[in-house]
Amino acid sequence: MEHLVGICIGIGLSAASGFRLFVPFLVLGVAQRVGVVPLGESFQWMGSTPALIAFSVALLLEVAAYYIPWLDNLLDTVATPAAVAAGTLLTVSLIPEFSPFVKWSMALIAGGGVAGTVQSGSVAARCASSATTGGVGNPVISTVELAGSVALSLLSLAIPVVAVILVLILCFFILRASRRFFRRRRTRTA
């Protein structure tokens, strides 16, 4: 059962990294530091004082940058592959003892895949906001993403199974919206 809980926490935190990259790292680091979540031996550094300071500073810079309309779209080009990597790292740090191949494969597919899907939905929302409001609506999108990342990170630690269910529902809607978009685009070009 503890294996499933660790995987659920990892997937929930991975989805949160699709909204904001450093929120789940900071939340996980603090949780590890206070003894709420045990991490693997090679991931104990996440709860160290230098790591928590680095996560805090990075989070402040990330949040501030996303409130600058032209910079937020530029950040998305870097944040998308970084979210996949972050989701993978967050998940692998919480997966219990499995063989390295199984552990990293699960982390990449589940954690990286979920983080990439959520980040893609976030990018699409920001692009739509930029196109329809000229970037004026982007701070609203940024605020919703930040709140979503904090809420999902905390929910992942408190009630991991519920967090995964919400993540699956969110991914379903993102993938469905993407499918509709590409279907409409295909019919316009045909």
Side-chain angles (χ1 to χ4, degrees):
M1 188 64 167
E2 78 180 54
H3 298 311
L4 180 63
V5 170
I7 292 168
C8 288
I9 293 171
I11 291 171
L13 291 174
S14 295
S17 73
F19 288 126
R20 280 293 167 272
L21 201 58
F22 294 105
V23 167
F25 280 103
L26 182 59
V27 168
L28 182 60
V30 169
Q32 192 271 333
R33 179 79 171 254
V34 298
V36 173
V37 175
L39 297 178
E41 189 174 314
S42 56
F43 295 99
Q44 294 292 314
W45 60 270
M46 288 183 173
S48 69
T49 301
L52 293 176
I53 291 170
F55 294 150
S56 299
V57 170
L59 175 59
L60 289 174
L61 292 173
E62 179 185 28
V63 168
Y66 270 105
Y67 283 102
I68 302 170
W70 60 270
L71 187 56
D72 61 353
N73 290 319
L74 181 65
L75 274 175
D76 282 336
T77 61
V78 176
T80 300
V84 173
T88 302
L89 184 63
L90 286 161
T91 301
V92 82
S93 71
L94 290 156
I95 293 178
E97 299 306 314
F98 287 114
S99 73
F101 176 76
V102 171
K103 190 176 193 173
W104 283 95
S105 297
M106 283 176 37
L108 180 60
I109 293 166
V114 164
T117 301
V118 172
Q119 175 63 21
S120 297
S122 178
V123 169
R126 193 175 334 287
C127 285
S129 173
S130 293
T132 58
T133 68
V136 175
N138 290 13
V140 174
I141 301 290
S142 294
T143 302
V144 170
E145 291 170 347
L146 177 61
S149 185
V150 170
L152 193 51
S153 294
L154 295 175
L155 184 64
S156 296
L157 294 176
I159 315 169
V161 175
V162 172
V164 168
I165 292 168
L166 289 175
V167 166
L168 292 174
I169 292 168
L170 176 65
C171 287
F172 170 78
F173 283 114
I174 290 170
L175 293 172
R176 190 171 121 195
S178 297
R179 186 175 174 195
R180 284 182 181 168
F181 172 79
F182 287 115
R183 189 179 302 150
R184 272 186 259 145
R185 191 171 182 197
R186 212 174 333 149
T187 57
R188 282 186 200 148
T189 59

